Amino acid sequence: MEAVILAAGKSTRMKSKTSKIFHNICGKPMIFYVVEALRRYKIHIVSNTQTNDTLKELFPQATIHIQKEQKGTADAVACAIDYIKEDTFIVVNADMPLIDPNDIESAYGILKSRGLDCVLLTAELDDPKGYGRIIRDNGCIRIIEEKNADENTRKIKEINSGIYIFKTESVKEALPKIERDAVSNEYYLTDIIPLLKGVEAVRVNPQHILGVNTRKQLSEVRNIMQRRIIDKFDDVTFIDSENTYINYDVEIGEDTVIYPNVHLRGKTTIGRNCIIENGSVIENSVIKDNVHIKPYCVIEESTIKNNCEIGPFAHLRPHSELSENVRIGNFVETKKVRIGRNTKASHLTYLGDATLGSDVNVGCGTITCNYDGYRKNETIIGDRVFIGSDVQLVAPVRIGNDVLIAAGTTVTKDVEDFSLAISRVPQVNKEGWVKKYRQSMEKKLKEEKKAK
Ligand code: UD1
Ligand code: CA
């Protein structure tokens, strides 16, 4: 079989500058799921002139046919029909991402075994609004679009899914006979049904065929897709699966626990036995085993090895690479940094364009001053370095192994192994100074008052 995906529509009801087929569902454009469900077949996509380039980029395996003017679904099929070589083909609307390949397989079985022209997938919906209604009339089947339906027809709950298996030859013959609909001025593919011999309408699970025409439907379909993705992780604990956002490409290891409002985006991999707490957003990152991410961390394009502890409120920006057993505490920001084993930066710190060795202790309020207004400069720190609180490392700068940097130091020169670096104004204590100061101030104020 070959498959034709109809994707050239104008998406008017979506009220968006972006074509609805590119609207995001769990990290992928809606049409991705349709292409994925049909990946066993040779795929044709009917596109309009605006979406054409993006579709080619997204699906290099598909053949794109352009429908210049949106004259309806029958006209869209007509744009691809001459390129169909197999004797049966599938037509699917691009706006039904919940489509199930098994439904298509069984429909194909029915078409073949009974020598039919068409098997049409239908479903019973409690709210059939917006869909074409199925009329079963003594074995004859017709589809009436909502726009063309009278009050009684609108009450029919069996709807056209927009998935059809066709005998190619019969469609080639019947397609040119379809007339423009008087109400919408479009050529309806649904009008092909009475022109074919042997049509069977097969009911499938309504959840598989929900179409996305509006933002409301987009949100409903997203929720169902999210449920499907989460249900696949049968060895992962989701504390509140209704409020967890996991993208299609995400992998999660056994016995990991995901708390509410966590977002795992892009190509993110989480290892085994991890805990990802509330509100953390992790994008395109690799997290190994036994990692604990505390609440409200943002992690982008980073790698975290086993047994690390991050957050709460930590921000790991792109290219943060953490070795085993690293601790990144609250209000710590990292960017383009390599951090060795057992190193800790527990509070209020910025580490950017830096390499830190293992067993380093970064004190509270440490800052790598990496930017000079023109360039990003590097800080290199050896192993077993102790950095006191409130230290500025003015890059480029290199700190050897086993160095101690005193609290409050501004490091502007490289430091040798086993050295103490300290840059402080010596402290002076002036005894009784406060008493004298207060007396002089009070005297001044009295004199000023008198003068007024
Ligand atoms: C269509 C069906 C309706 C069915 C519903 C299922 C028709 C006439 N109606 O209605 O019976 O219940 O799907 O979801 O087919 N498209 C083109 N070129 C065009 C017009 C549309 O490629 O000129 C594409 C759209 O991008 C879309 C698909 O065809 O992917 C269906 O079009 P849409 O406007 O969404 O049709 P519905 O009104 O939903
Ligand atoms: Ca539709």
Side-chain angles (χ1 to χ4, degrees):
M1 270 206 295
E2 291 178 69
V4 178
I5 301 173
L6 305 185
K10 284 178 289 209
S11 316
T12 328
R13 286 165 285 178
M14 200 68 173
K15 299 189 177 160
S16 172
K17 294 224 160 49
T18 307
S19 164
K20 72 174 166 187
I21 61 170
F22 299 137
H23 274 254
N24 187 312
I25 294 181
C26 302
K28 295 283 180 189
M30 182 188 316
I31 188 175
F32 165 87
Y33 298 96
V34 180
V35 173
E36 191 59 20
L38 300 171
R39 64 159 176 236
R40 301 187 42 203
Y41 315 113
K42 178 172 168 26
I43 292 177
H44 303 260
I45 303 177
V46 181
S47 161
N48 60 40
T49 46
Q50 280 110 59
T51 49
N52 171 34
D53 289 341
T54 315
L55 284 170
K56 271 188 191 147
E57 224 170 273
L58 282 173
F59 309 112
Q61 76 276 29
T63 312
I64 315 287
H65 307 280
I66 294 181
Q67 184 191 25
K68 285 210 186 88
E69 246 184 281
Q70 279 53 69
K71 291 189 285 190
T73 44
D75 180 66
V77 172
C79 294
I81 192 78
D82 290 341
Y83 302 89
I84 308 286
K85 299 279 176 292
E86 300 293 329
D87 57 5
T88 49
F89 72 107
I90 315 157
V91 172
V92 178
N93 293 349
D95 63 359
M96 32 194 321
L98 297 170
I99 177 175
D100 185 336
N102 296 324
D103 293 340
I104 292 168
E105 278 300 303
S106 49
Y108 176 72
I110 295 167
L111 183 107
K112 277 289 164 189
S113 64
R114 306 207 11 219
L116 301 169
D117 269 357
C118 174
V119 173
L120 165 76
L121 300 188
T122 72
E124 300 268 350
L125 296 188
D126 291 335
D127 178 15
K129 195 164 174 283
Y131 292 91
R133 308 298 204 280
I134 303 292
I135 317 277
R136 291 173 183 266
D137 209 356
N138 286 325
C140 284
I141 292 164
R142 273 185 307 139
I143 304 169
I144 298 190
E145 288 306 302
E146 166 122 341
K147 278 182 197 153
N148 305 62
D150 60 27
E151 212 180 310
N152 272 333
T153 309
R154 286 184 187 208
K155 281 182 191 146
I156 297 171
K157 292 201 187 301
E158 189 182 4
I159 60 98
N160 169 27
S161 71
I163 304 174
Y164 320 75
I165 321 290
F166 285 123
K167 194 168 155 194
T168 313
E169 203 187 291
S170 312
V171 172
K172 280 184 180 170
E173 243 172 68
L175 213 47
K177 295 181 195 154
I178 295 176
E179 283 170 27
R180 236 184 231 272
D181 180 78
V183 177
S184 66
N185 217 16
E186 285 185 8
Y187 297 92
Y188 287 159
L189 181 60
T190 44
D191 285 345
I192 204 170
I193 301 299
L195 303 173
L196 299 173
K197 291 186 280 313
V199 176
E200 186 69 55
V202 178
R203 287 190 187 84
V204 297
N205 182 340
Q207 228 187 42
H208 297 174
I209 54 84
L210 294 178
V212 177
N213 297 319
T214 62
R215 307 271 182 157
K216 182 164 178 272
Q217 289 167 327
L218 178 70
S219 154
E220 285 161 3
V221 165
R222 193 217 72 88
N223 290 344
I224 296 170
M225 187 65 81
Q226 187 62 91
R227 180 84 260 160
R228 277 192 194 173
I229 290 171
I230 286 177
D231 286 348
K232 277 195 290 187
F233 296 109
D234 57 358
D235 54 0
V236 174
T237 299
F238 293 91
I239 304 283
D240 178 5
S241 56
E242 297 284 304
N243 293 297
T244 307
Y245 305 84
I246 313 288
N247 278 181
Y248 180 85
D249 283 329
V250 169
E251 290 168 34
I252 310 174
E254 186 184 61
D255 282 326
T256 282
V257 181
I258 313 274
Y259 281 68
N261 278 310
V262 164
H263 293 247
L264 303 180
R265 297 181 182 153
K267 249 193 125 29
T268 288
T269 307
I270 311 284
R272 284 174 295 173
N273 267 314
C274 292
I275 301 171
I276 318 282
E277 290 199 63
N278 305 49
S280 287
V281 179
I282 306 176
E283 191 165 329
N284 293 322
S285 294
V286 176
I287 294 180
K288 301 283 187 176
D289 303 337
N290 303 306
V291 171
H292 186 175
I293 313 275
K294 295 182 177 176
Y296 305 106
C297 292
V298 176
I299 299 173
E300 310 154 85
E301 290 169 47
S302 291
T303 308
I304 300 175
K305 294 221 176 125
N306 294 351
N307 304 315
C308 288
E309 206 178 294
I310 314 292
F313 303 105
H315 188 185
L316 272 53
R317 291 169 51 208
H319 309 295
S320 297
E321 290 174 29
L322 278 48
S323 294
E324 289 82 1
N325 207 30
V326 164
R327 159 106 184 94
I328 298 291
N330 44 196
F331 310 110
V332 172
E333 173 181 341
T334 65
K335 186 218 77 177
K336 208 171 177 205
V337 65
R338 292 211 326 265
I339 302 182
R341 286 160 163 264
N342 308 323
T343 287
K344 293 179 176 57
S346 299
H347 341 259
L348 298 155
T349 285
Y350 173 62
L351 300 170
D353 300 288
T355 304
L356 285 79
S358 53
D359 298 291
V360 172
N361 187 83
V362 180
C364 176
T366 296
I367 295 167
T368 53
C369 310
N370 57 332
Y371 188 49
D372 56 18
Y374 296 93
R375 297 161 304 180
K376 298 286 165 63
N377 300 296
E378 253 187 281
T379 302
I380 296 167
I381 299 168
D383 297 335
R384 297 170 302 280
V385 170
F386 181 93
I387 304 175
S389 295
D390 191 27
V391 164
Q392 300 89 46
L393 298 148
V394 182
V397 72
R398 182 183 286 266
I399 313 293
N401 293 325
D402 303 283
V403 164
L404 195 156
I405 302 174
T409 296
T410 301
V411 182
T412 51
K413 288 185 289 198
D414 291 358
V415 185
E416 293 292 301
D417 293 358
F418 290 103
S419 303
L420 165 74
I422 179 162
S423 77
R424 277 183 203 162
V425 178
Q427 181 173 333
V428 182
N429 292 351
K430 297 186 177 176
E431 239 170 83
W433 188 92
V434 175
K435 273 187 193 159
K436 281 184 210 156
Y437 171 69
R438 285 181 186 163
Q439 280 166 5
S440 88
M441 284 310 287
E442 278 158 21
K443 199 176 153 199
K444 251 185 213 163
L445 289 179
K446 259 183 207 162
E447 282 167 8
E448 279 173 17
K449 232 180 180 177
K450 252 189 210 163
K452 276 186 192 168

